[in-house]
């Protein structure tokens, strides 16, 4: 442990410097170092040098074998441990681990803002806590109903005057505006029919944060210099009004900013991010089942409870071409109820887990003007 004490000449030298520094003295402090703490620091530095001295080829091969032997969580935590050894191990891990669009796996926190798998949807589920107005997103590890999953993201609903906001965070226990775990938010209008999705990080190079007072993360000064103080609009979700009160599910439209090309690196900080294209989504029209007397959609067994919140989103005509999802039969995001406070969420390219989670959050809450 390192403590600091003022030297005997501190007062006199500080006085001389305040008088113009004619003598040339400056305020001095000398460190008082705990020998035991110093020995521990030296041992840690030696260990870090020992691990970082591995040949690049050997280091890459080690990380590659760990990655290959950990197909699913919780074994994938071994890959994260490798990335935490030192900077060289981190760079090696990011160079080996494929992003979700290629590998179909979520490994690092940065994966939550990268497009989902290209060939098959990523299976997740959302749990709701009505008492605390919180929602948690989990990665499905098995198909069992008792599956606790791998925690990914959390959100809490706040009331801001006539508006509602959902603060989205990496940490379930740190769901407050200004949190160091904050990654974005969702804000609704007065009627709860229009939502704007904000990202804490710039979605592309040169993006400008929203400057309206309502979209600021904090009303006061920035709490921590390590936390981004900006909110960047990355999407909108709109529910159509149902003036005639006709029978049928909610009708929704989404406009989401999604990158067209995705690099091979899992670490987005290693590459420049071009301006994304806008992906327009709409809910897939259900069919009326005469025998059941209800509107039906084929969720392929992923949804078991009928609810007005259930939906499937597909790309509008001509919108999904850059990502190869131009047909209106390819479901990009589906959300449905399986228990009283449990819902499935399956998403795929070009949506990320963060974007898909934000879109699903808009489905919670009563919308009298749409039903």
């Amino acid at each position: 442990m390192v403590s600091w004490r003022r030297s005997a000449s501190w007062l006199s030298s500080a006085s001389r410097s305040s008088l113009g520094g004619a003598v040339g003295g400056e305020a001095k402090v000398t460190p008082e170092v705990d020998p035991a703490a110093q020995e521990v620091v030296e041992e840690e530095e030696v260990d870090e040098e020992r691990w970082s001295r591995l040949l690049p080829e050997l280091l890459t091969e080690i990380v590659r074998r760990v990655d290959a032997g950990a197909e699913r969580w919780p074994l994938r935590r071994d890959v994260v441990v490798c990335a935490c050894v030192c900077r060289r191990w981190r760079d090696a891990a990011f160079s080996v681990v494929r992003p979700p669009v290629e590998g179909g796996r979520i490994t690092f926190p940065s994966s939550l803002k990268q497009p989902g798998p290209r060939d098959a949807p990523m299976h997740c589920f959302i749990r709701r806590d009505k008492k605390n107005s919180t929602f948690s997103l989990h990665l499905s590890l098995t198909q069992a109903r008792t599956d606790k999953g791998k925690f990914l993201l959390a959100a809490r609903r706040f009331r801001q005057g006539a508006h509602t906001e959902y603060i989205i965070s990496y940490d379930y226990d740190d769901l407050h505006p200004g949190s160091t775990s904050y990654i974005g938010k969702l804000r609704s209008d007065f009627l709860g029919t229009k939502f704007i999705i904000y990202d804490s990080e710039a979605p592309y190079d040169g993006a400008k944060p929203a400057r309206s007072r309502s979209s600021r993360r904090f009303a006061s000064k920035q709490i921590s210099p390590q936390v981004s103080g900006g909110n960047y609009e990355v999407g909108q979700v709109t529910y159509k009004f149902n003036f005639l009160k006709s029978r049928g599910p909610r009708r929704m439209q989404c406009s989401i900013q999604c990158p067209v090309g995705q690099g091979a690196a899992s670490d987005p900080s290693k590459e420049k991010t071009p301006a994304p294209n806008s992906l327009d989504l709409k809910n897939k029209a259900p069919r009326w089942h005469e025998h059941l007397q209800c509107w039906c959609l084929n969720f392929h067994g992923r949804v078991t409870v009928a609810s007005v919140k259930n939906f499937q989103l597909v790309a509008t005509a001509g919108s999904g071409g850059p990502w190869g999802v131009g047909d209106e039969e390819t479901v990009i995001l589906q959300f449905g109820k399986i228990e009283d406070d449990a819902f499935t969420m399956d998403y795929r390219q070009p949506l990320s887990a963060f974007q898909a989670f934000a879109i699903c959050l808009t489905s919670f809450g009563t919308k009298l003007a749409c039903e």
Side-chain angles (χ1 to χ4, degrees):
M1 180 177 181
V2 179
S3 59
W4 299 92
R5 62 179 177 82
R6 295 173 180 173
S7 63
S9 61
W10 186 87
L11 290 176
S12 59
S13 61
S15 300
R16 288 194 297 270
S17 61
S18 64
L19 292 175
V23 184
E26 296 181 353
K28 299 179 179 179
V29 290
T30 58
E32 191 175 87
V33 181
D34 184 357
Q38 181 67 22
E39 183 178 353
V40 172
V41 172
E42 291 178 353
E43 290 180 356
E44 291 179 351
E45 292 178 351
V46 171
D47 290 338
E48 183 173 344
E49 290 181 358
R50 182 185 301 117
W51 286 108
S52 61
R53 286 175 183 172
L54 288 177
L55 293 175
E57 296 81 2
L58 177 58
L59 174 58
T60 304
E61 182 62 24
I62 291 175
V63 177
R64 182 179 291 109
R65 292 192 179 189
V66 174
D67 177 62
E71 288 293 329
R72 300 174 62 89
W73 288 89
L75 293 179
R76 291 206 64 75
R77 62 186 178 187
D78 297 338
V79 183
V80 179
V81 170
C82 288
C84 295
V85 173
C86 63
R87 183 179 296 276
R88 285 192 61 199
W89 280 70
R90 176 181 180 273
D91 294 339
F94 277 120
S95 66
V96 170
V97 177
R98 299 294 89 189
V101 68
E102 297 178 8
R105 297 189 294 256
I106 292 178
T107 304
F108 304 112
S110 59
S111 303
L112 300 176
K113 289 191 177 181
Q114 295 175 333
R118 181 184 296 113
D119 301 325
M122 185 79 74
H123 290 174
C124 306
F125 62 90
I126 298 174
R127 294 200 178 277
R128 174 179 60 181
D129 187 344
K130 294 181 180 179
K131 294 182 179 179
N132 300 325
S133 298
T134 56
F135 307 84
S136 58
L137 175 65
H138 304 259
L139 178 66
S140 298
L141 303 182
T142 65
Q143 298 298 326
R145 294 287 183 86
T146 57
D147 179 21
K148 295 183 178 180
K150 163 65 179 174
F151 172 78
L152 299 178
L153 292 171
R156 172 172 291 172
R157 182 169 52 206
F158 293 88
R159 193 71 181 177
Q160 297 288 343
H163 304 272
T164 301
E165 286 190 353
Y166 293 80
I167 302 299
I168 305 176
S169 170
Y170 288 119
D171 190 348
Y172 186 87
D173 298 320
D174 196 3
L175 288 164
H176 301 281
S179 163
T180 56
S181 301
Y182 168 88
I183 67 166
K185 75 174 183 179
L186 180 71
R187 180 179 175 84
S188 75
D189 63 355
F190 173 72
L191 295 176
T193 57
K194 182 178 180 179
F195 296 80
I196 299 179
I197 304 172
Y198 294 99
D199 194 334
S200 63
E201 300 176 353
Y204 59 91
D205 296 336
K208 295 182 179 180
R211 297 187 179 276
S212 61
R213 183 177 182 84
S214 62
S215 63
R216 294 177 185 172
R217 282 187 48 204
F218 340 112
S220 59
K221 64 181 181 179
Q222 188 175 341
I223 296 176
S224 171
Q226 298 177 348
V227 181
S228 172
N231 282 306
Y232 301 85
E233 183 177 336
V234 294
Q236 293 186 4
V237 181
T238 304
Y239 288 82
K240 289 187 177 181
F241 289 97
N242 187 5
F243 293 106
L244 301 178
K245 298 297 181 181
S246 58
R247 293 188 304 172
R250 296 170 176 172
R251 293 181 297 170
M252 57 190 299
Q253 291 183 340
C254 306
S255 179
I256 308 295
Q257 296 180 10
C258 301
V260 175
Q262 181 69 24
S266 295
D267 188 358
S269 63
K270 298 294 183 181
E271 58 181 357
K272 293 184 178 180
T273 306
N277 284 17
S278 179
L279 172 67
D280 296 327
L281 303 173
K282 65 177 182 179
N283 64 302
K284 190 175 181 179
R287 62 180 179 85
W288 177 255
H289 198 291
E290 291 292 343
H291 179 69
L292 299 177
Q293 290 294 298
C294 65
W295 296 95
C296 298
L297 277 172
N298 185 8
F299 288 93
H300 302 282
R302 293 284 293 163
V303 177
T304 57
V305 180
S307 172
V308 71
K309 298 179 177 63
N310 301 346
F311 66 80
Q312 289 180 333
L313 293 184
V314 296
T316 59
S319 174
W323 301 277
V325 290
D327 64 285
E328 297 187 3
E329 294 300 321
T330 301
V331 177
I332 299 176
L333 171 64
Q334 76 173 16
F335 171 80
K337 191 172 185 179
I338 54 175
E339 294 177 4
D340 186 29
D341 291 311
F343 305 80
T344 57
M345 186 197 87
D346 303 336
Y347 74 98
R348 62 185 301 164
Q349 183 198 28
L351 291 182
S352 66
F354 165 71
Q355 293 170 333
F357 186 40
I359 294 174
C360 292
L361 289 174
T362 66
S363 186
F364 293 100
T366 303
K367 298 175 176 58
L368 297 177
C370 307
E371 302 168 0

